[in-house]
Amino acid sequence: GAGTTDSAHLPNITGVYAPGFGDPEQERRVDLIRRTLPKAKTIGILFSTDEALAVTLKDKMTAAAARAGLRVEAVGIAGIGEVGTGAQALVAKQVDAIEIYGNAAHTGFGSILQVTQPARVPVFSSSPFEVTQGALAAFYPDFQEGGVEAGKMVARVLKGESPAGIPFLQVKTVKLAVNPTTGVPVPD
């Protein structure tokens, strides 16, 4: 509700937002899974049911996977207390990889790894920090670029410019982080 376009927004708000929450990034996520796990047939999605964006991303990923000939098993969670059991449900469905969406899923990432690592089911994420903790790979917006651009906006406002005249800015760069220690080969 902050705005309808990058330049048509509430007069007291401006800011930076991340790219890639549409179909093209989900296509890239599916492609990464296909290239990393060429024999994969089923993707598991663990998502927070109470977050509209997580549900939207689950739906977009499901559609992208279907276009690529992959099946999806989705398990919704209502909170952090359900993360481990949600991951167990996906592993029990013999998924070849798991993608996660939503704050509860990310907050409970350690619980996901407790289930997936012994089962050797790789986890894909949108967080580079989770790659350092055990996820196989992550596509994510360039947080540094976003921070630099937000800082420039703050400086403009501090110099007296009204936020009303500063359009929202979409971070253009999406990065890939890969964890080579998971034992799963990754493409070049």
Side-chain angles (χ1 to χ4, degrees):
T4 55
T5 68
D6 288 352
S7 56
H9 55 78
L10 296 173
N12 61 336
I13 295 176
T14 191
V16 176
Y17 64 97
F21 291 125
D23 293 326
E25 183 175 320
Q26 302 316 311
E27 298 286 347
R28 290 177 70 189
R29 289 178 188 284
V30 169
D31 182 58
L32 177 63
I33 292 169
R34 296 290 305 238
R35 291 174 58 209
T36 307
L37 307 166
K39 295 180 182 177
K41 303 237 185 292
T42 306
I43 298 173
I45 300 176
L46 187 66
F47 70 102
S48 302
T49 57
D50 61 345
E51 295 178 48
L53 180 57
V55 174
T56 297
L57 292 174
K58 181 261 308 175
D59 292 343
K60 289 179 180 287
M61 183 66 161
T62 300
R67 287 190 293 275
L70 293 169
R71 215 182 73 204
V72 169
E73 292 285 348
V75 171
I77 55 170
I80 191 168
E82 297 180 11
V83 173
T85 57
Q88 287 172 342
L90 288 172
V91 167
K93 294 178 183 200
Q94 299 182 334
V95 299
D96 298 301
I98 294 175
E99 179 76 52
I100 61 174
Y101 298 112
N103 290 326
H106 289 287
T107 301
F109 185 71
S111 297
I112 295 169
L113 291 181
Q114 287 176 348
V115 173
T116 58
Q117 285 180 335
R120 300 191 45 80
V121 175
V123 178
F124 292 78
S125 173
S126 60
S127 169
F129 311 108
E130 290 169 351
V131 171
T132 65
Q133 296 171 0
L136 175 59
F139 275 119
Y140 61 97
D142 186 340
F143 298 120
Q144 182 174 351
E145 177 187 348
V148 167
E149 294 302 326
K152 290 177 185 177
M153 290 175 170
V154 168
R156 290 170 66 182
V157 172
L158 290 174
K159 289 179 182 177
E161 189 173 344
S162 170
I166 304 173
F168 292 151
L169 183 110
Q170 180 181 14
V171 175
K172 300 291 184 193
T173 306
V174 176
K175 291 188 169 187
L176 171 65
V178 177
N179 183 344
T181 65
T182 61
V184 177
V186 292
D188 296 332

